[in-house]
Amino acid sequence: MKQSETISDEIIIVGSRYGGLADVLTPLYEKGEPIEKENIKQVLGTDVVYLQPVGNNHDPYAVGVFLSTEIRLGYVWMCQSSSLREWMMTNNKKYHKVHISRINTQYGFMIAKTDAPIRLADYARNELGIDNEWAKHIPGTMRSITEQSLSLGFALLCDELLMTKEWSDALERRFVNLNRHLPADLSSQHMQECLELYYKMKQSSISEVRESCDNMLQAYISRGSKSSITWWVNEWLPSFFREAEENDLLGLFEAANYTLERV
């Protein structure tokens, strides 16, 4: 039987009252006053957002919505996220750029428009029933928001280098954002991406990019320095624990009857 699909140019964004701009948006949602389309950039700082599949302990189909600063604004509505993930995977997209066209302050969601309509297959999610083996799906690792932002930062910077022929404020912000998130990642997960980016920067026709390549490489190398480790332990790790607590990760392990010895 042929799988049905929906052709859509609208993506619905939810969860923004709990995202990186919650301090800005929550008061506006509480007031409930309409936000005109021409004022969206003033409220958010931009109308461009990036959709990227993310690790989420509560939803394996989650797609995060990020600003150009790599701050997570919210998530794609669950009824679209699984289809969108499949579409991105099929089209080999690490992220997808859309434009926010409307903010509904009464209900706290946003509508984003795609540059061209996309075909979203109608994927049925698993029904919420009793699953005696659900505990085996508890994640072995938990990706932090900063790690998700780092992955997006690499992809955006690489694309910016391909499209841009001269130094610009936007390109400089990409480097600033990448350097801000790099210290949080002490794994080797992004090693290959970092080396590929370094070689691209060395071969760039933009002199400012070539001059910045050593600075970017040093930011990656210095992750293991005493000062970086001290910052990681005292600043980043506590915020990661708070993030895990807010996601009720401990509750998942307790419900699965996991003991400290088993973990």
Side-chain angles (χ1 to χ4, degrees):
M1 181 170 59
K2 186 178 180 181
Q3 189 178 44
S4 60
E5 60 183 20
T6 301
I7 300 176
S8 176
D9 64 347
E10 288 190 343
I11 300 296
I12 300 168
I13 300 168
V14 299
S16 56
R17 66 174 75 244
Y18 309 110
L21 286 186
D23 57 334
V24 173
L25 292 169
T26 300
L28 297 176
Y29 292 158
E30 290 175 349
K31 286 184 179 179
E33 297 177 356
I35 297 175
E36 301 299 329
K37 183 176 181 179
E38 57 269 22
N39 294 330
I40 291 177
K41 289 184 179 180
Q42 181 180 350
V43 173
L44 301 179
T46 179
D47 67 340
V48 176
V49 291
Y50 301 90
L51 313 179
Q52 181 194 38
V54 297
N56 186 310
N57 296 319
H58 300 293
D59 186 358
Y61 307 105
V63 176
V65 180
F66 294 83
L67 297 167
S68 57
T69 54
E70 284 110 53
I71 293 175
R72 191 173 66 199
L73 179 65
Y75 291 95
V76 172
W77 182 38
M78 62 175 292
C79 289
Q80 290 183 314
S81 60
S82 56
S83 299
L84 183 61
R85 282 182 76 118
E86 181 69 20
W87 178 82
M88 292 177 70
M89 184 181 300
T90 301
N91 290 274
N92 196 28
K93 286 178 171 285
K94 292 184 177 180
Y95 65 88
H96 186 59
K97 183 176 74 173
V98 296
H99 298 265
I100 294 179
S101 60
R102 184 162 61 89
I103 300 178
N104 186 309
T105 54
Q106 182 179 2
Y107 299 113
F109 65 80
M110 302 181 184
I111 301 294
K113 301 284 286 187
T114 59
D115 291 336
I118 56 180
R119 295 178 177 271
L120 299 179
D122 295 332
Y123 284 97
R125 285 170 166 262
N126 293 331
E127 294 183 2
L128 296 177
I130 297 176
D131 180 5
N132 294 324
E133 294 186 335
W134 74 270
K136 72 179 182 181
H137 301 302
I138 287 181
T141 59
M142 175 180 170
R143 296 180 69 204
S144 69
I145 294 175
T146 49
E147 201 279 327
Q148 296 168 9
S149 297
L150 181 59
S151 296
L152 180 61
F154 269 114
L156 290 174
L157 179 53
C158 288
D159 283 356
E160 194 84 40
L161 285 172
L162 290 174
M163 296 184 295
T164 305
K165 301 303 180 183
E166 59 183 17
W167 187 254
S168 65
D169 291 342
L171 188 56
E172 183 177 14
R173 282 196 299 273
R174 296 284 184 234
F175 283 108
V176 171
N177 290 337
L178 186 66
N179 285 335
R180 187 173 75 249
H181 296 307
L182 268 176
D185 178 38
L186 297 183
S187 71
S188 60
Q189 181 176 352
H190 297 283
M191 175 68 76
Q192 190 59 38
E193 288 178 315
C194 183
L195 290 176
E196 290 175 359
L197 177 59
Y198 172 71
Y199 293 132
K200 286 180 181 179
M201 292 172 65
K202 283 187 65 175
Q203 298 167 4
S204 173
S205 61
I206 306 173
S207 60
E208 290 88 348
V209 173
R210 296 195 302 273
E211 293 167 2
S212 300
C213 66
D214 283 350
N215 181 50
M216 191 282 302
L217 193 60
Q218 171 61 17
Y220 197 82
I221 294 172
S222 64
R223 297 175 313 152
S225 67
K226 183 177 180 179
S227 59
S228 294
I229 294 297
T230 300
W231 170 85
W232 190 87
V233 171
N234 295 336
E235 301 292 335
W236 183 85
L237 193 57
S239 69
F240 177 71
F241 287 152
R242 287 194 296 270
E243 186 180 332
E245 182 180 13
E246 291 171 359
N247 287 334
D248 197 24
L249 188 62
L250 177 60
L252 289 177
F253 280 91
E254 290 175 340
N257 204 21
Y258 270 60
T259 63
L260 183 59
E261 289 76 14
R262 291 181 66 189
V263 172

